[in-house]
Amino acid sequence: MTIFSQRRSIRKYDENEKINDKTLKEIIELAKLAPSSMNLQPTRLLVIKSEENKAKLKNIFYGNLSQLNTSSHIIVLFTNLKKFDDAPKIFSEAYNNKIIPKNIMDDQIKKISDTKNLISQEKIIEDGFLDAGMFAMQFMLVLKKFGYDSCPIGGFNKKIINDVFNIDKNLYPVLIISIGKKAEEGFPSYRLSFDDITKII
Ligand SMILES: Cc1cc2nc3c(=O)[nH]c(=O)nc-3n(C[C@H](O)[C@H](O)[C@H](O)COP(=O)(O)O)c2cc1C
């Protein structure tokens, strides 16, 4: 239970501890096992590692400079507004790898192709935020399991980030996560009570 009870938002990291590429890849491989609506996996990551690129975030962040200046990496999560285009690839690979039968592959691809033009951009974004939230939580818990910490950061300028990093406008920014080895403990969790948040009927 400890990774759940010990995760907390860390805003200051050990600047000498960088997460290596291989470990970060392992962490992302586990994080991407998070569920997503229709398994369309719309979450995309921009991994900002170099000091040069981190510096570009100074004009994008609203505060949060301690996370920016001390973290090992900054991860930007986007949601892919063109996620339906990935359906043939996702479901045919699952079929080719003998994970799903042919009728499920065909049904899923057809269902998505029939409905994709009926779904509004707002709904795609709304679902994308949920999917990225699932991804983010799993990512932060996996990081904890590997001995690293994180802070979700919603305080950034979503209107300019794509231009600054030359990211396709079909990727809609959702959340930033700073990651690294903690250099302070953060606040212990304080939460509303079980009764405050739960109704059993
Ligand atoms: C969607 C979201 C956005 C957040 N944005 C920020 C932020 O911009 N800056 C920050 O320092 N913390 C941010 N946080 C962290 C919350 O303040 C933190 O999760 C909350 O206070 C509970 O503390 P804990 O994470 O240590 O349990 C954000 C958390 C979430 C889930």
Side-chain angles (χ1 to χ4, degrees):
M1 292 306 199
T2 50
I3 62 164
F4 305 107
S5 54
Q6 289 180 359
R7 187 218 53 83
R8 45 185 79 158
S9 292
I10 295 297
R11 299 178 173 89
K12 188 174 175 205
Y13 305 89
D14 180 344
E15 292 176 55
N16 298 316
E17 283 256 10
K18 299 293 174 197
I19 305 175
N20 69 55
D21 292 351
K22 184 171 166 285
T23 302
L24 185 56
K25 181 166 187 285
E26 233 179 297
I27 291 168
I28 292 170
E29 293 283 3
L30 290 167
K32 75 184 177 63
L33 298 175
S36 63
S37 175
M38 292 183 279
N39 202 17
L40 284 172
Q41 307 164 49
T43 306
R44 296 289 179 273
L45 286 75
L46 178 67
V47 176
I48 303 180
K49 177 181 170 183
S50 72
E51 291 306 317
E52 186 192 342
N53 280 320
K54 271 176 127 193
K56 294 181 189 165
L57 284 166
K58 286 208 169 90
N59 296 326
I60 296 175
F61 270 37
Y62 301 139
N64 299 302
L65 289 183
S66 171
Q67 295 97 309
L68 177 60
N69 293 333
T70 64
S71 58
S72 168
H73 297 69
I74 295 284
I75 315 292
V76 189
L77 298 186
F78 297 85
T79 190
N80 180 14
L81 303 181
K82 294 276 179 204
K83 64 179 183 176
F84 299 114
D85 294 348
D86 284 337
K89 175 183 161 82
I90 291 168
F91 296 108
S92 62
E93 274 183 17
Y95 168 68
N96 291 335
N97 287 312
K98 301 185 172 28
I99 295 170
I100 57 171
K102 185 166 186 316
N103 65 316
I104 292 199
M105 171 185 71
D106 292 341
D107 287 355
Q108 289 292 88
I109 293 174
K110 183 171 184 317
K111 194 172 79 186
I112 288 165
S113 158
D114 289 348
T115 55
K116 68 177 183 182
N117 295 325
L118 306 173
I119 300 175
S120 68
Q121 173 113 326
E122 288 72 33
K123 172 76 173 135
I124 294 172
I125 293 173
E126 189 182 305
D127 287 349
F129 269 65
L130 262 181
D131 291 335
M134 299 268 169
F135 188 104
M137 191 69 250
Q138 182 134 328
F139 182 54
M140 293 189 291
L141 291 175
V142 174
L143 279 159
K144 193 75 202 154
K145 184 83 182 156
F146 276 70
Y148 295 109
D149 289 277
S150 60
C151 181
I153 297 172
F156 67 99
N157 188 339
K158 296 193 172 76
K159 293 204 171 76
I160 63 170
I161 192 162
N162 289 59
D163 286 335
V164 170
F165 293 106
N166 202 14
I167 301 293
D168 189 324
K169 292 279 165 53
N170 287 315
L171 300 186
Y172 190 97
V174 177
L175 185 70
I176 285 179
I177 304 176
S178 59
I179 66 174
K181 196 80 165 176
K182 70 180 173 193
E184 64 179 22
E185 284 305 316
F187 298 111
S189 301
Y190 49 101
R191 297 292 191 261
L192 296 170
S193 72
F194 173 88
D195 289 333
D196 285 332
I197 67 162
T198 311
K199 182 174 179 174
I200 299 176
I201 55 172

